[in-house]
Amino acid sequence: MAKVPAAAVAASGLVGGYAVARFTKKRQLGGVVLAAAGAVAATQWKSVAGGKVAGALTGAYVAAFAGSHPLAKKVGPWPAVFGVAGAVATASYVLVDRRA
């Protein structure tokens, strides 16, 4: 079975978490999706690139989630979520997925 790149897992967690929260109107459920994908991505980051890189990317993942909220007030919610998901996915690809 092919391994899903950590970049795709992280981006899917950010986009999927927002989508679940928005469409179910249950923010906690969106948070579960966000956290689960973040945990899977962090595990992949650590196994490929080590703890320091995994910590930095996990911090970026959390910062992207937090940063999407004020950004959404300027550009709208979906562009904000896609923008931060793209940024985290790019960082993950550059720091981890190219190595795998």
Side-chain angles (χ1 to χ4, degrees):
M1 184 161 107
K3 183 176 173 185
V4 177
V9 173
S12 297
L14 289 161
V15 174
Y18 174 69
V20 167
R22 180 174 179 134
F23 295 121
T24 65
K25 303 212 186 306
K26 297 187 186 309
R27 294 178 68 183
Q28 298 87 348
L29 191 56
V32 169
V33 172
L34 179 79
V40 170
T43 301
Q44 287 183 261
W45 293 330
K46 186 175 181 184
S47 71
V48 173
K52 287 184 181 182
V53 172
L57 287 171
T58 300
Y61 186 79
V62 172
F65 166 69
S68 68
H69 292 82
L71 183 59
K73 292 178 181 175
K74 295 182 188 290
V75 299
W78 283 110
V81 170
F82 285 129
V84 299
V88 170
T90 300
S92 177
Y93 175 77
V94 168
L95 296 173
V96 178
D97 292 332
R98 283 193 311 187
R99 297 170 148 189

